[in-house]
Amino acid sequence: MFKKILIANRGEIACRVIKTARRMGILTVAVYSDADRDALHVEMADEAVHIGPAAASESYLVAEKIIAACKATGAEAVHPGYGFLSERASFCAELEKQGIVFIGPKPKAIMAMGDKIESKKFANAAGVSTVPGHLGVIEDAAHAEVIAGGIGYPVMIKASAGGGGKGMRIAWNEAEVRDGFERASSEAKSSFGDDRVFIEKFIVEPRHIEIQVLADAHGNVVYLGERECSIQRRNQKVAEEAPSPFLDEKTRKAMGDQSVALAKAVDYQSAGTVEFIVDRDRNFYFLEMNTRLQVEHPVTELVTGIDLVEQMIRVAAGEPLALAQEEIRLDGWAIESRLYAEDPYRNFLPSIGRLTRYRPPAEGRTGNLVVRNDTGVFEGAEISMYYDPMIAKLCTWAPTRLEAIEAMGRALDGFVVDGIEHNVPFLSALMKHPRWREGRLSTGFIAEEYPDGFAPMKPDRTEEATLAAIALSASLIETNRRERFADRLRAASGTLREHWVVKTGDSHVAVRLIDGLVTIPFDMEMAIEGENSSVVTDWRPGDPVWSGTVGGRNITAQIRPVLNGLRIDWQGLSVTAKVLSPRHAELDRLMPVKLPPDTSKLLLCPMPGLVVSIAVAEGQEVKAGETLAIVEAMKMENVLRADRDLVVSKINAAAGESLAVDAVIMEFA
Ligand code: ADP
Ligand code: ADP
Ligand code: MG
């Protein structure tokens, strides 16, 4: 076994690999860029080597620097994680030449599977079912039209070198094929430096289901069941699960057998994933093979009990697989939520900055539930604009799917992230969504269920009652402490008001305290809008997480002080609550509603970022949908478009300028 390995990656995946290496008694070397001097993976590793500036193209993507770091530290092998150099055959070949082991497949397999056209041909030859389509390069738009007509609409136009959901277009008719061809090939050219595209049938109501395979250098290949990753936004995965609620034993076995056949056909070794698209009749078609560890691998680990990174390291060291297919059992259900630094209320625009508070829920097993959180950040860390906006991967495991979903909902409710915007409200709302809970999924789920984007949800009457109970209990506990701070816990109840009104959002909820005694921990009978309910919590002032029971139901919510009240975040709801006396509530109703300032004549910068270009000039008339400016943050160019016909009156920013969130880029007449 290796004595020392280097991890050629950053963030959560670097930390995740280090954990397993340490458990196996292997020393670890981290590499880091200027932006990652204080990163968690650097702290966790036994040694760390600085490899250059923040831009990945000058650090994490430079093979020579990684190889030099191996030589300097005596690392015998390299784990590439995902992204970066993980699927670059030339890197893998160069390591081999230098006598350093690549913890992954051989260059030949990476090459065969790296190109979508080539891999589809390979899959066909290995007897794997592929999406019906044309197995060759499309010459031009006219050729695209002919091919699409032959396949039958709708079709998908794809970049052969594509990845990460880029260079892909759906077309429902001839005009869309022509346009889609142009756009897919130019996107492919700019993203991958390779403009070859091909066309295949677009599978309607598709589900993304993938098979995890594991192979050694001695010809043994097994599959570790499937993961379903149908919850996607713009062809990028957001939440995943294992197993899939859609597969039966027969389909699972057929997909597993075909994946093993493909792995054998390319002499695969290490962990890999064969991705399929599955139609509503459970016909499945090969999409691509990812020749690396997958982001969502933890859900497979949770249902199989197998550590995939350990297996990758053992295979790379030449050990034969210790597992036979019959020994692999799928037990229970696991869900993964990807926490991203992005603002769900602003069309998921990236958000960067310092994590002023970062407190993930406790990991580990409690009874029949498991919580796992893979992360690369810590409280006080900076989410920079240079890399992936992923903060953490939160996973839960339980015996059944619904229990795992419930556990995920609670874990998200208790996940405290302050300082940046994040998608926890969206993920929480997803866990409550009836269609998700029923497992009626397709890759179009998010687009279909949230056609106008994600808006803050409105609480119903029952939820308002719960929010009122949380707000009132917190307020009573705080007042009690303020008044009796030096005393012993138990407060006299003599002066406590009996009738209260809790304003949650725009609604007023009447609450009567039945036994007006504030104890710590808090335990009180209340009549909320006439319904009796006991409210129990051990919440203490200053704690951002309120957990307890309302009417016997377990609740975890987050509360933060805001002007004259509290903001409560719970299950995707975000509500400002004010605790008032009935008299104050009456006065409050008479207060004029303060309208937010009118920003309709301004183009505001939606996130902190760099102005790439300003597309218009002062005095210019612009039509709805036209580009106004492009702002870059987190490796992504965000095109800011006119939401209606406008005339530009003043421009306040120029290309190359760094802007804060809400900075005024331009003004309209
Ligand atoms: P997964 O199925 O593991 O989520 P993805 O295709 O989403 O796989 O990619 C995982 C990571 O690799 C992401 O960070 C993604 O941005 C990156 N990635 C994948 N393919 C490419 C590519 N061809 N070029 C650049 N980045 C890529
Ligand atoms: P990438 O390399 O970018 O991950 P994939 O080929 O794996 O590209 O496709 C990414 C996603 O696009 C899939 O998960 C699926 O949602 C969608 N997709 C790809 N091909 C098809 C198809 N033929 N029909 C329907 N959806 C597709
Ligand atoms: Mg894919």
Side-chain angles (χ1 to χ4, degrees), residues 171-391:
W172 294 84
N173 54 50
E174 288 170 7
E176 286 180 10
V177 161
R178 284 176 166 274
D179 184 53
F181 170 82
E182 301 295 349
R183 299 216 287 165
S185 42
S186 82
E187 200 170 307
K189 177 97 191 147
S190 69
S191 299
F192 312 111
D194 175 347
D195 65 0
R196 289 172 306 129
V197 298
F198 66 106
I199 300 186
E200 62 187 23
K201 182 100 190 138
F202 176 71
I203 306 297
V204 183
E205 270 181 53
R207 302 176 71 127
H208 176 119
I209 301 177
E210 56 187 35
I211 301 285
Q212 175 71 53
V213 297
L214 192 58
D216 64 17
H218 311 279
N220 303 305
V221 187
V222 295
Y223 66 94
L224 274 55
E226 79 282 4
R227 295 182 285 261
E228 175 150 6
C229 320
S230 296
I231 304 294
Q232 307 184 349
R233 212 173 59 78
R234 299 209 193 114
N235 300 318
Q236 293 254 37
K237 300 161 187 169
V238 177
E240 303 96 339
E241 61 187 305
S244 158
F246 193 55
L247 288 198
D248 48 41
E249 266 317 316
K250 189 167 144 256
T251 317
R252 174 174 298 125
K253 182 164 186 321
M255 291 172 77
D257 288 344
Q258 289 197 7
S259 302
V260 168
L262 178 62
K264 286 195 166 148
V266 289
D267 291 330
Y268 199 79
Q269 66 171 65
S270 195
T273 297
V274 183
E275 296 191 333
F276 292 94
I277 198 98
V278 182
D279 73 13
R280 62 188 138 196
D281 304 317
R282 290 198 184 82
N283 297 309
F284 58 89
Y285 308 98
F286 169 78
L287 273 183
E288 63 166 343
M289 181 169 190
N290 290 329
T291 53
R292 56 169 161 85
L293 189 63
Q294 203 96 336
V295 174
E296 59 276 15
H297 76 277
V299 289
T300 297
E301 297 186 325
L302 285 166
V303 295
T304 60
I306 295 167
D307 181 329
L308 283 164
V309 172
E310 176 184 340
Q311 295 300 321
M312 290 177 85
I313 295 174
R314 292 195 182 283
V315 166
E319 290 184 19
L321 286 184
L323 295 151
Q325 189 65 53
E326 314 76 66
E327 294 170 273
I328 294 161
R329 300 241 179 288
L330 305 183
D331 177 28
W333 216 283
I335 314 267
E336 173 179 276
S337 295
R338 299 194 190 189
L339 265 73
Y340 284 116
E342 59 185 17
D343 188 345
Y345 304 121
R346 287 188 182 204
N347 203 19
F348 300 92
L349 281 171
S351 170
I352 59 179
R354 194 166 292 283
L355 292 167
T356 53
R357 226 169 356 191
Y358 176 77
R359 310 217 180 133
E363 289 188 82
R365 192 179 188 112
T366 325
N368 243 347
L369 300 174
V370 178
V371 174
R372 166 172 169 178
N373 185 48
D374 286 37
T375 192
V377 301
F378 52 90
E379 191 161 293
E382 181 97 18
I383 303 278
S384 79
M385 58 192 258
Y386 298 106
Y387 314 109
D388 230 77
M390 198 158 71
I391 307 170

Side-chain angles (χ1 to χ4, degrees), residues 6 60 79 81 155 244 320 373 439 613:
L6 181 143
Y60 296 106
H79 195 298
V155 297
S244 158
N373 185 48
S613 61

Side-chain angles (χ1 to χ4, degrees), residues 525-576:
E525 228 13 65
M526 300 181 185
I528 308 174
E529 290 287 315
E531 284 236 9
N532 283 18
S533 168
S534 52
V535 180
V536 181
T537 180
D538 56 4
W539 182 78
R540 296 298 179 91
D543 192 343
V545 178
W546 187 103
S547 58
T549 57
V550 176
R553 184 175 169 207
N554 281 319
I555 308 280
T556 302
Q558 295 185 34
I559 54 183
R560 291 172 179 74
V562 293
L563 191 66
N564 296 327
L566 287 172
R567 197 186 85 217
I568 309 179
D569 292 286
W570 173 55
Q571 298 203 329
L573 299 166
S574 186
V575 167
T576 303

